Amino acid sequence: MAAYTATVTVRLKRGVLDPEAETTKRALERLGFELDALRSADRFEIDLDADSSADAEERADEMAERLLANPTIHDYDVEVSTAE
């Protein structure tokens, strides 16, 4: 077994109301920043032992599906790296 870090980034799907991002976007625009859109996201870093990078990714994907994200309203990405 080897040590891995899985990073799961969860964000609302396009078209789903994101009040946090809308408030932040308006505040940035008041500060003079021009932007087309802004989306908020949550990022989870999970340290785990697994037989391979693929196994670590599969386990992190299952965690995202079962708890970290609601597949009805969220998209998510999983990235795996070796732990340092």
Side-chain angles (χ1 to χ4, degrees):
M1 289 239 182
Y4 294 93
T5 298
T7 302
V8 180
T9 304
V10 179
R11 70 188 65 72
L12 291 168
K13 290 183 177 183
R14 292 198 184 276
V16 176
L17 183 63
D18 189 345
E20 179 182 6
E22 284 301 313
T23 300
T24 304
K25 180 180 181 285
R26 285 193 304 273
L28 287 168
E29 290 170 340
R30 281 194 303 272
L31 291 172
F33 294 99
E34 294 181 23
L35 53 147
D36 294 329
L38 181 75
R39 294 171 45 190
S40 62
D42 291 318
R43 180 175 146 175
F44 301 91
E45 292 183 1
I46 306 162
D47 293 331
L48 64 152
D49 290 328
D51 291 328
S52 67
S53 175
D55 182 45
E57 183 173 350
E58 183 178 312
R59 289 176 56 202
D61 188 72
E62 184 178 353
M63 291 177 201
E65 284 285 329
R66 293 181 64 187
L67 179 68
L68 303 177
N70 176 346
T72 304
I73 61 170
H74 293 121
D75 287 326
Y76 67 88
D77 297 312
V78 176
E79 294 180 25
V80 174
S81 60
T82 53
E84 296 179 17

